[in-house]
Amino acid sequence: MLGFAVGVLKTRAGGNLQTGRRRGVVNMKSRLPSNSAGDLYVDSSCIDCDVCRWMVPDVFDRAQGQSAVLHQPVGDDMMRKALQAAVACPVGSIRTETPNPLAKAARDDFPIPVHETLVDIYYNGFNSEKSFSANSYLVVDEELGGVLIDSPRYNSALAKSIEKKCGDLGVKYMVLTHSDDVADHARWAERFGLTRIMHKNQIRSFNGTNDVEMVLEGEGPWEISKNLNILFVPGHSSGCIALHDIKNKTLLSGDFYAFSARKGTISGFPDYNHFSWQTQVENMTKVTRMDLNFGTSSAASVKARFTLLWVCERELCGHGPAQRRTSQEEAAFTPERL
């Protein structure tokens, strides 16, 4: 079970942690001084995206504007989780000074079940720098097969693991919630022969989404299976969509909004709004009336009538400093006020 809110796994194999992208000689000068003494560390390439911190808060924390290993992992279980965070890291900033035998297993753990109470919803890990470390998810639908929500960084090992999860039905769709989080969508489409779904208002030629196979128009909703609906939730951008998993009472919401563990409230991150904050607030209000499961160990902290899973971006997985600010509009969405 992920200690959660939304997302996990990637790496650059700096030093001797060779779980992912680049191999190279350890450069001890790049080790951030804020790291605790020990084998695991974060280097100076960290972009402060927050992925490792929400994944393994007992190991990683924020220090001097970047992530750092404040407590060295104790035991194989904690080390494996820390190495999963290394795989999820979009820029490969998490390294080890010596080879770790758990590195490959940590890579192969993905996709990881989001939560024990949710059936067939997985976090893909392998976050991409192209989308500033946005999380991608996999829903395995008994009617359709696999449905990817947004795009992880392309990785052949992850592709094989996703295929295994989906079985004979394969991977049918990729729901692109908005233009910011498309990452390696074209490579995934080619690998699986899947159909990419995106709203017309978010199509962009610069990121290749002008080639998506299914373009949504209007305000929906759009049913893609008996269990899965796509909802139109503009606000953050003019064409944001979200995937509603009816069986799990879960909304996979992209950047539409998320629960901020740090602030103890729902946030729409107005500083990163690209379209209309008023429209976003209206849609956030509508979603709070839906029958959704929070689906995490922190559910008790939220009123029963406001149960929303963080399968979107936990605090946007650190999408900039907006997650650390408070606005009057966001304050209206505290659990106590809903």
Side-chain angles (χ1 to χ4, degrees):
M1 180 184 81
L2 295 180
F4 207 54
V6 177
V8 201
L9 197 64
K10 156 170 186 177
T11 174
R12 169 173 92 185
N16 291 305
L17 173 57
Q18 297 181 356
T19 53
R21 291 204 292 206
R22 285 184 271 176
R23 299 184 181 184
V25 177
V26 177
N27 179 4
M28 293 307 295
K29 292 182 180 179
S30 70
R31 178 174 179 142
L32 292 172
S34 50
N35 288 287
S36 64
D39 191 58
L40 187 72
Y41 68 96
V42 177
D43 73 20
S44 56
S45 67
C46 172
I47 60 173
D48 193 28
C49 73
D50 193 44
V51 170
C52 64
R53 302 195 296 264
W54 70 254
M55 288 183 66
V56 200
D58 291 338
V59 172
F60 301 98
D61 205 340
R62 192 169 191 265
Q64 301 176 24
Q66 292 176 295
S67 292
V69 176
L70 293 196
H71 305 284
Q72 290 291 322
V74 177
D76 286 350
D77 182 60
M78 187 62 69
M79 175 57 80
R80 187 161 174 167
K81 291 179 180 179
L83 294 176
Q84 289 173 354
V87 180
C89 175
V91 292
S93 298
I94 303 169
R95 305 183 175 208
T96 57
E97 295 182 16
T98 58
N100 192 294
L102 296 174
K104 184 179 183 300
R107 182 201 68 184
D108 293 342
D109 284 337
F110 290 93
I112 295 176
V114 166
H115 193 268
E116 60 190 5
T117 64
L118 301 178
V119 179
D120 294 329
I121 300 181
Y122 303 89
Y123 168 61
N124 289 318
F126 291 85
N127 293 33
S128 174
E129 186 178 9
K130 296 176 184 177
S131 53
F132 197 74
S133 195
N135 294 307
S136 169
Y137 298 90
L138 170 69
V139 174
V140 181
D141 182 75
E142 59 184 16
E143 178 183 343
L144 289 177
V147 179
L148 291 166
I149 296 85
D150 289 325
S151 171
R153 174 172 19 106
Y154 185 79
N155 179 275
S156 59
L158 177 63
K160 292 177 182 178
S161 296
I162 289 174
E163 279 184 321
K164 188 175 181 180
K165 291 285 186 189
C166 297
D168 293 339
L169 289 175
V171 186
K172 179 72 172 180
Y173 292 122
M174 173 179 280
V175 177
L176 298 170
T177 61
H178 65 302
S179 61
D180 292 346
D181 296 349
V182 300
D184 293 333
H185 67 98
R187 294 193 67 183
W188 289 106
E190 181 180 5
R191 173 65 172 78
F192 291 132
L194 54 76
T195 297
R196 292 164 291 177
I197 304 175
M198 197 173 200
H199 196 276
K200 179 181 179 180
N201 293 354
Q202 286 295 283
I203 300 298
R204 304 287 187 269
S205 60
F206 74 87
N207 58 21
T209 54
N210 55 320
D211 291 332
V212 301
E213 292 76 19
M214 185 180 296
V215 178
L216 305 177
E217 297 188 40
E219 299 184 358
W222 302 270
E223 180 181 301
I224 60 174
S225 78
K226 293 179 181 178
N227 182 55
L228 299 176
N229 289 327
I230 296 175
L231 307 182
F232 184 55
V233 287
H236 173 75
S237 67
S238 62
C240 279
I241 56 176
L243 185 70
H244 181 203
D245 183 323
I246 299 169
K247 177 179 65 177
N248 284 300
K249 298 182 179 181
T250 297
L251 190 69
L252 293 97
S253 63
D255 282 2
F256 173 49
Y257 72 109
F259 182 83
S260 168
R262 185 173 298 145
K263 293 187 293 188
T265 183
I266 290 297
S267 176
F269 310 99
D271 287 1
Y272 288 87
N273 184 281
H274 304 310
F275 178 60
S276 167
W277 177 244
Q278 181 178 350
T279 300
Q280 187 168 350
V281 169
E282 291 171 356
N283 282 308
M284 289 166 68
T285 302
K286 291 178 184 178
V287 169
T288 63
R289 301 189 183 110
M290 295 174 62
D291 183 17
L292 298 172
N293 274 323
F294 200 83
T296 75
S297 58
S298 300
S301 68
V302 180
K303 297 290 185 181
R305 68 176 291 263
F306 192 78
T307 51
L308 173 71
L309 177 68
W310 313 350
V311 179
C312 46
E313 308 290 353
R314 175 184 189 263
E315 301 186 338
L316 290 180
C317 276
H319 275 38
Q323 65 192 21
R324 301 180 184 92
R325 302 174 190 171
T326 301
S327 68
Q328 292 180 349
E329 294 92 342
E330 287 180 278
F333 289 91
T334 58
E336 292 74 21
R337 296 193 180 194
L338 285 172

